Amino acid sequence: MGGGGSEKIAAQISIFLKDKFIVSIVCIRDNIDYAYKGKLYNLGQKEYRIKLIKQFCKLLAFRKVYKKIDADVYIDFRMRNRTLLEIALHLFVFKINKTVFTIHSSNIFYHLPKFAWFYNQYAKARAVVCVSKAMIDDVYSVYPFQNLKYIPNFITNTSSLDLETKTIIESDYVIAVGRLNNHVKQFDRLIDSYKNSKLFNQNIPLYILGEGPDRQLLEYQIKLLELENHVKLLGLKTNALAYMKCAKFLILSSQFEGFPLVLLEALSVGTPVVSFDCHSGPSEIIDNKSNGLLVEPQNFEALTKAMNLLFTDEDLYKKCQSKAINSIEKFSSSSILPKWLDLLQ
């Protein structure tokens, strides 16, 4: 329960359900960043170095905990793209009719193994929950599931956020947030686009929040381009919302997404957004030129132009800023969490 949007949603759902159910949480990895409620079973604390032994022992531990919990409903937030492991879980662990499978990426096969046998299994599940409308269509095109449910990601109330944030960074800046994985988030190409923008020319820095495997590559790129005073990798921040609130706007440059929580978070604190119109997610959140800008996917020249536009067009910026908070009311926790309750009862 750390490092990503789906993990944060899982943690927040556990808090919501705690007053209504007995909640247990099984974590495969020892990575707990987010507040949660319920009994935690952390299977990542003791791991063997030899991969095959590690996976076998973790499977046994998972099976033991699964039986011990003996839940009425199991919600699976994992990535499920390791075929042999998933076969073993289906044969020796899962109770399919009690399982809710969630799909959080537009690359649906991260969560839906590519074999007809699995499709038949998922069709017997309590539900298959997709976080965007595009995913519903994509999953249904693979197999005519009758148990698909659309429940988007949500934003919790941010009105109680400590607003004493101006001392964090006193100058203007723009921000990007996500795991430092260039294959998905494309921060390397975002940095190039930023350098070609008026933001760079006007000394408006770009701050990137997050950690991940490509930190060293990004550090090298920043040094090579002599951007040390303009682009900062700030790592993970517990008060990321405060950084978003103080930013001029947030930029999302991902190759693909599911239903990007960072867009909801930025808008919830009144910060406009510039985002690629990925296949899944952003167009359900952003009303172009109303609360932010949607950009043709993978067109980094257009991304630079969009950054320039939101930076230089004061009327457009004020319009997007004024509409940001109200634009995502339908994705508030009070609107979305009852859908989970209806599914589980």
Side-chain angles (χ1 to χ4, degrees):
M1 284 202 302
S6 61
E7 292 86 352
K8 182 180 288 188
I9 291 295
Q12 291 174 348
I13 287 175
S14 76
I15 295 172
F16 169 72
L17 295 178
K18 184 62 175 66
D19 294 333
K20 302 166 181 64
F21 299 90
I22 298 171
V23 175
S24 301
I25 300 168
V26 183
C27 276
I28 306 301
R29 295 175 181 168
D30 184 23
N31 184 8
I32 315 296
D33 292 332
Y34 305 126
Y36 64 89
K37 295 289 185 181
K39 183 173 178 58
L40 176 66
Y41 297 88
N42 187 345
L43 305 186
Q45 289 182 316
K46 182 181 178 180
E47 293 190 338
Y48 293 90
R49 292 185 178 181
I50 301 175
K51 186 175 181 179
L52 185 61
I53 295 175
K54 179 178 75 172
Q55 295 299 336
F56 180 72
C57 291
K58 193 169 284 190
L59 176 63
L60 293 180
F62 193 5
R63 186 170 184 264
K64 182 179 179 180
V65 168
Y66 195 96
K67 285 189 172 183
K68 180 180 179 180
I69 293 172
D70 192 24
D72 295 303
V73 184
Y74 299 89
I75 309 175
D76 189 346
F77 283 90
R78 299 174 305 118
M79 289 181 64
R80 297 179 293 272
N81 57 346
R82 290 181 290 179
T83 304
L84 293 179
L85 174 61
E86 293 307 312
I87 290 173
L89 289 172
H90 278 263
L91 292 178
F92 302 113
V93 180
F94 288 162
K95 297 178 180 178
I96 295 299
N97 64 328
K98 292 185 175 184
T99 303
V100 174
F101 293 107
T102 63
I103 298 179
H104 288 267
S105 172
S106 63
N107 190 336
I108 61 172
F109 297 112
Y110 280 174
H111 302 278
L112 180 66
K114 281 186 181 181
F115 291 96
W117 183 80
F118 285 110
Y119 305 158
N120 289 321
Q121 291 292 304
Y122 278 44
K124 300 172 187 175
R126 186 181 184 112
V128 178
V129 172
C130 299
V131 298
S132 79
K133 294 175 182 177
M135 280 186 213
I136 290 283
D137 294 337
D138 291 344
V139 173
Y140 192 80
S141 70
V142 171
Y143 187 91
F145 294 100
Q146 299 302 304
N147 55 349
L148 290 179
K149 302 290 183 182
Y150 166 62
I151 306 181
N153 289 341
F154 56 88
I155 185 70
T156 55
N157 183 16
T158 59
S159 61
S160 61
L161 178 68
D162 182 1
L163 298 182
E164 294 180 7
T165 55
K166 297 209 179 213
T167 56
I168 292 177
I169 299 172
E170 294 183 352
S171 60
D172 286 339
Y173 62 94
V174 294
I175 195 168
V177 181
R179 181 169 169 77
L180 304 185
N181 180 343
N182 289 333
H183 172 65
V184 179
K185 302 300 183 182
Q186 303 189 123
F187 289 136
D188 53 343
R189 301 189 69 184
L190 170 60
I191 290 171
D192 289 335
S193 292
Y194 163 80
K195 189 175 182 183
N196 293 326
S197 75
K198 293 180 180 179
L199 295 166
F200 170 73
N201 292 332
Q202 295 297 318
N203 292 314
I204 305 297
L206 166 65
Y207 294 113
I208 300 175
L209 271 58
E211 286 293 350
D214 289 330
R215 170 176 269 277
Q216 288 188 334
L217 288 175
L218 292 169
E219 289 174 342
Y220 177 76
Q221 178 185 11
I222 291 167
K223 184 176 181 180
L224 185 67
L225 296 176
E226 299 181 345
L227 292 174
E228 293 95 332
N229 295 325
H230 293 83
V231 180
K232 303 287 186 182
L233 305 180
L234 300 184
L236 290 173
K237 297 293 183 181
T238 57
N239 59 342
L241 276 175
Y243 280 84
M244 292 186 206
K245 180 173 178 59
C246 291
K248 290 284 291 180
F249 52 86
L250 177 137
I251 308 162
L252 188 144
S253 56
S254 300
Q255 181 176 8
F256 57 88
E257 283 285 350
F259 195 90
L261 187 59
V262 293
L263 294 182
L264 293 182
E265 290 177 329
L267 292 168
S268 76
V269 292
T271 300
V273 295
V274 175
S275 173
F276 275 149
D277 188 9
C278 307
H279 170 64
S280 171
S283 64
E284 295 180 39
I285 300 169
I286 301 171
D287 183 4
N288 191 41
K289 294 190 176 181
S290 178
N291 60 353
L293 300 181
L294 282 171
V295 180
E296 180 186 0
Q298 298 305 294
N299 188 337
F300 282 89
E301 182 179 349
L303 184 66
T304 299
K305 290 179 179 178
M307 289 188 280
N308 290 341
L309 178 62
L310 199 56
F311 176 58
T312 59
D313 190 329
E314 186 175 350
D315 290 338
L316 175 63
Y317 180 82
K318 287 182 177 178
K319 176 184 176 181
C320 292
Q321 188 179 44
S322 67
K323 292 180 177 293
I325 295 175
N326 290 338
S327 71
I328 58 164
E329 186 176 348
K330 61 185 175 181
F331 300 118
S332 67
S333 56
S334 60
S335 297
I336 302 301
L337 284 170
K339 298 178 186 294
W340 277 104
L341 194 58
D342 289 344
L343 178 62
L344 300 177
Q345 287 181 329

